[in-house]
Amino acid sequence: MKIAVAGTGYVGLVTGVVFAELGNEVICVDIDPAKVDAINKGQSPIYEPGLDELLQRNLEEERLIATTDLAQATRDCEVIFICVGTPPTETGEPDLKYVDAAAATIGRALNGYKIIVNKSTVPIGTGDRVRRIIEQHRAEPHDFDVVSNPEFLREGSAVADTLNPDRIVIGADNPRAAMKIVELYAPLERPMLITNLATAEIIKYASNTFLALKISFINAIADLCERTGADVVQTAKAMGYDPRIGQAFLQAGLGFGGSCFPKDVQAFVHTVQRYGLDPTLFEQILVINDARPKQFVARIRERLGELSGRTIALLGLAFKPNTDDIREARSLEIIRFLLQEGATVRAYDPVAMPRVQAIYPQITYCRNAYEAAENADALALITEWNEFRQLNFERIRNAMRQPNLFDGRNLYDPQRMRKLGFYYYGVGRAADNSDDKTML
Ligand SMILES: NC(=O)c1ccc[n+]([C@@H]2O[C@H](COP(=O)([O-])OP(=O)(O)OC[C@H]3O[C@@H](n4cnc5c(N)ncnc54)[C@H](O)[C@@H]3O)[C@@H](O)[C@H]2O)c1
C-alpha cells in the first residue's frame, strides 16, 4: 500500500518506519525541513531504541522517503495518516491548529478516493472536524473517509510497541475504510477493535486517564505511608498481586510527565465539562501529580535546612528512561524550585542534557553520575535510567560533601543505602533513619 504520514515526531516517524518495514511504500512528511533532511540521511531526529537501524534499512531498500510536501504526498497515496502534535493551549484544551492545517492541505490536494487516518490524540468530535475541513477545501467532489486510529506507543519502546501493540483500535463510520486499515495492520497479527469514530477517540483518553489515575492513586497512598510509617512499595506490591489491580503503574514517586498524560488528562477534564458532567475525579489526578516536585524539594529542604548555597546533584532529566523527551519532565520543575531557593544544581542524563541545557544553561552538566555527585550535599534520582541501578555507591558517597540520597523513583533498597552510610529518602517509604550517623 502507498501511505503518507504527516508529522515525523515520536508517533509519525515510528509509524512510517514500521509500515515501511511491513513492505508498504511510505512517504513521511514534516513541515520542518531539518527533520526531513535528517530522515533522508538515515538519522532519526528523535532518540528511540532500534529506530535508526529500521530507518536506514527502509531508506536503502527504497520503501521510505521524507518530504515537506504534504500536498504531493496526498496526491501520491491512498491512505494518509495525520500524526501531528496536539499540544495543550493555555486553558488545557488541545490546540488543533496542526491537525486543521494538515487537513486543509489534504483537502486541497484531493485527487481521488482517500482514507485520512487520525493518529494524533484529539478530542471527541475531531474526526468530524477533519471531515468538514477537507470538504471545505477540496476543489473537486472526490470521495474520502476519515478514520480514527489512536496510538498507544510508549516513548522509549516506541518501535517495539508499534511492531507488537496490545490492541489496534480502528474507529470508522464506513466499513470499507475500516477494512482497508485492518488490511494494513493484518501482518502484525494483533487484536483489532473496530468501533465508531467517537468511541475510538474516547478509548485513547480513557486509557491514558486511567493509567494516570493509577499513578496519582499510589502517590496519594505514598503520602499516607509517609505520615504513618508504612511502606508504599510493599503496599503496592501486595495490592498488585490481585489480578484485578495489577502491578503496572503502581510505582510511587515523582509522578508523571511527558507529552501525553498531563495534556491528555487536562483535555479529558475539558471534554467531560463540555458535555455537562462532573470532572472532579479526573481533576484530582492532576492536583496530586502537580504537587509531587514541590513536595520532593521540600523533603530535601527539611534535611538540609536552607537550600541556598547547597549543591544538589540530579540523576536523570528525561521525563522517563530511554527517551530524550523532556516535555513536562519532573526534572524541569525540580530544577526551577532548586534554583529559586538559591541551590547550585549539577545534573547528568545519558541523552536528555542538550534539551535541558537549552532551558537551563546556568546549571552544570556532567559526564556521568560520579561527576554529578562531586561535592554535592544531596543526590536526587529523578529518572530511573537502567545505568543508575548499578552505580558504585561507595564512590558516589566519597565524592559527595554530605551523603544524602533522595530517591524520587524508589529505585534503591533503603536498607542497603543506609548501610552504605547514606541518609536515604524514598517516596512513601518507611523513614527508618534511626541509625543515622550521617547528619552533619
Ligand atoms: N509521543 C507519544 O508517546 C505519543 C503516544 C501516543 C499518542 N501521541 C499523540 O500523537 C500526536 C503526535 O505526538 P508526537 O509526540 O509524535 O509529536 P511531535 O511533536 O514529536 O511531532 C509532531 C510533528 O508534526 C510536525 N507537523 C506539524 N504540523 C505538520 C503538518 N501540517 N504537516 C506535517 N507535519 C507537521 C511537527 O513538525 C513535528 O515534527 C500527539 O497528538 C500526541 O498526543 C503521542
Side-chain angles (χ1 to χ4, degrees):
M1 223 177 277
K2 261 194 124 177
I3 302 164
V5 182
T8 63
Y10 291 88
V11 170
L13 185 56
V14 175
T15 299
V17 166
V18 166
F19 280 139
E21 182 68 13
L22 295 179
N24 300 287
E25 271 181 76
V26 178
I27 307 176
C28 286
V29 188
D30 207 288
I31 46 172
D32 182 344
K35 287 189 182 177
V36 167
D37 282 349
I39 293 167
N40 283 328
K41 285 186 190 131
Q43 295 155 0
S44 160
I46 50 160
Y47 171 76
E48 271 301 326
L51 183 57
D52 273 337
E53 192 192 327
L54 273 192
L55 171 62
Q56 282 155 17
R57 181 159 71 228
N58 285 286
L59 278 170
E60 273 163 29
E61 294 175 9
E62 296 182 356
R63 283 191 298 266
L64 186 141
I65 191 166
T67 173
T68 52
D69 192 347
L70 179 58
Q72 189 57 47
T74 301
R75 286 191 285 271
D76 289 347
C77 299
E78 185 178 351
V79 178
I80 302 116
F81 280 84
I82 299 181
C83 304
V84 300
T86 49
T89 58
E90 267 177 21
T91 61
E93 284 174 281
D95 189 343
L96 293 177
K97 69 177 176 215
Y98 301 112
V99 173
D100 292 353
T105 307
I106 293 166
R108 279 191 292 271
L110 227 54
N111 59 346
Y113 176 72
K114 311 275 169 188
I115 301 174
I116 295 88
V117 188
N118 198 2
K119 222 179 209 326
S120 297
T121 302
V122 289
I124 299 138
T126 305
D128 293 333
R129 177 182 173 125
V130 166
R131 185 183 294 139
R132 277 195 306 275
I133 295 174
I134 295 176
E135 275 166 1
Q136 278 161 14
H137 287 83
R138 68 184 163 175
E140 289 173 43
H142 293 296
D143 198 12
F144 70 94
D145 280 302
V146 176
V147 172
S148 166
N149 171 222
E151 181 52 61
F152 301 99
L153 66 76
R154 295 161 301 172
E155 286 177 28
S157 55
V159 173
D161 288 348
T162 307
L163 283 166
N164 196 25
D166 299 323
R167 75 293 206 194
I168 296 155
V169 175
I170 299 168
D173 294 336
N174 179 350
R176 170 185 167 196
M179 289 325 289
K180 192 91 186 166
I181 306 306
V182 166
E183 199 186 310
L184 191 57
Y185 279 109
L188 294 178
E189 296 182 12
R190 301 302 300 159
M192 293 198 220
L193 284 97
I194 301 178
T195 69
N196 66 18
L197 267 174
T199 307
E201 288 168 345
I202 287 198
I203 287 170
K204 174 64 192 175
Y205 280 108
S207 301
N208 271 6
T209 303
F210 187 72
L211 293 173
L213 173 73
K214 279 188 99 176
I215 298 172
S216 280
F217 182 92
I218 201 64
N219 278 331
I221 301 293
D223 289 346
L224 186 62
C225 287
E226 280 188 24
R227 295 274 168 96
T228 55
D231 188 280
V232 76
V233 173
Q234 287 177 320
T235 306
K237 199 168 181 180
M239 288 168 64
Y241 279 126
D242 183 333
R244 294 169 303 176
I245 298 174
Q247 304 281 353
F249 282 73
L250 274 191
Q251 284 75 36
L254 295 170
F256 54 83
S259 66
C260 291
F261 284 3
K263 133 178 123 59
D264 292 353
V265 179
Q266 258 186 352
F268 201 50
V269 166
H270 280 281
T271 302
V272 168
Q273 271 169 333
R274 184 158 14 97
Y275 287 90
L277 299 167
D278 181 359
T280 312
L281 171 67
F282 309 122
E283 280 170 337
Q284 282 310 309
I285 298 173
L286 294 171
V287 170
I288 293 168
N289 196 56
D290 289 350
R292 311 311 296 171
K294 196 172 195 172
Q295 196 165 310
F296 188 64
V297 172
R299 296 290 174 269
I300 303 177
R301 192 189 317 105
E302 279 160 20
R303 170 72 182 169
L304 296 181
E306 285 271 301
L307 290 180
S308 168
R310 304 291 194 168
T311 299
I312 315 297
L314 304 183
L315 296 189
L317 297 169
F319 90 88
K320 68 173 188 179
N322 297 324
T323 180
D324 59 347
D325 196 343
I326 59 158
R327 288 178 281 186
E328 303 276 334
R330 304 318 1 233
S331 63
L332 302 180
E333 278 283 271
I334 289 167
I335 294 170
R336 185 166 70 84
F337 289 130
L338 290 173
L339 293 178
Q340 252 172 21
E341 299 199 26
T344 299
V345 179
R346 299 168 65 78
Y348 167 68
D349 184 285
V351 296
M353 288 194 289
R355 291 187 183 220
V356 179
Q357 200 158 16
I359 303 170
Y360 290 115
Q362 66 271 54
I363 73 172
T364 305
Y365 295 90
C366 303
R367 280 171 303 180
N368 53 44
Y370 304 103
E371 190 177 302
E374 275 170 27
N375 291 322
D377 296 293
L379 182 78
L381 178 88
I382 310 298
T383 314
E384 65 280 34
W385 283 90
N386 248 342
E387 68 174 75
F388 298 146
R389 288 176 195 272
Q390 299 298 341
L391 293 172
N392 177 343
F393 271 97
E394 285 184 11
R395 192 173 154 199
I396 296 259
R397 188 198 57 212
N398 293 338
M400 294 178 72
R401 194 182 299 149
Q402 302 186 54
N404 291 309
L405 178 57
F406 290 85
D407 185 352
R409 300 294 176 181
N410 291 343
L411 190 67
Y412 303 117
D413 175 11
Q415 305 288 29
R416 183 170 162 255
M417 290 302 148
R418 287 177 186 132
K419 258 197 198 120
L420 280 167
F422 284 96
Y423 164 87
Y424 174 87
Y425 166 81
V427 179
R429 310 217 68 178
D432 179 17
N433 284 295
S434 48
D435 55 350
D436 177 18
K437 299 186 183 63
T438 60
M439 194 73 178
L440 297 182

